[in-house]
Amino acid sequence: MNFGMKQILAIVVLVTAALTGCGVKKQPNKPMSVRMVESEIIRMPESWMLDFSKALKWNYCHGLELQAFLDVADMYPEHQEFVDYAISYADTIINEEGNILTYKQERFNIDHVN
């Protein structure tokens, strides 16, 4: 097998990251579910950004992931920030009159509802 300079560099970076833990603080006693939610919140600081959204939208994936966050918060009530994160999506996409922004009733499809 012939490796080019880019492939060798990529291998070195991956091996180094694996050996050093990518600079992530080790938290062996923290549940993986909590660590996963924290990771998503760091990666997507605004809840409407979940599922790699570039703009505010109503979709199934947001509901699915945010429900999982709420489930983790139920298991670990000390993480109120997970609940706050989920509520921020509702506060952002539902206006004061109760209308869901970006939701088109004429395009209703059960796939859009979690």
Side-chain angles (χ1 to χ4, degrees), residues 41 44-47 50 69 81-89:
I41 291 174
M44 304 293 178
E46 299 292 333
S47 54
L50 289 171
F69 288 15
E81 70 273 19
F82 299 169
V83 175
D84 296 341
Y85 185 83
I87 290 172
S88 73
Y89 177 70

Side-chain angles (χ1 to χ4, degrees), residues 63-82:
L64 179 68
E65 193 164 357
L66 291 170
Q67 181 59 58
F69 288 15
L70 293 172
D71 291 344
V72 173
D74 284 345
M75 295 284 297
Y76 304 99
E78 65 273 18
H79 289 285
Q80 177 63 35
E81 70 273 19
F82 299 169

Side-chain angles (χ1 to χ4, degrees), residues 21-91:
C22 298
V24 174
K25 181 180 175 188
K26 303 278 187 214
Q27 300 172 336
N29 296 326
K30 188 178 280 194
M32 184 59 74
S33 57
V34 170
R35 293 167 62 188
M36 297 273 302
V37 173
E38 289 174 340
S39 175
E40 277 293 88
I41 291 174
I42 289 169
R43 192 168 58 88
M44 304 293 178
E46 299 292 333
S47 54
W48 63 265
M49 300 168 97
L50 289 171
D51 196 33
F52 305 99
S53 294
K54 302 290 183 209
L56 182 64
K57 68 178 178 179
W58 172 265
N59 74 12
Y60 183 89
C61 293
H62 283 79
L64 179 68
E65 193 164 357
L66 291 170
Q67 181 59 58
F69 288 15
L70 293 172
D71 291 344
V72 173
D74 284 345
M75 295 284 297
Y76 304 99
E78 65 273 18
H79 289 285
Q80 177 63 35
E81 70 273 19
F82 299 169
V83 175
D84 296 341
Y85 185 83
I87 290 172
S88 73
Y89 177 70
D91 287 345

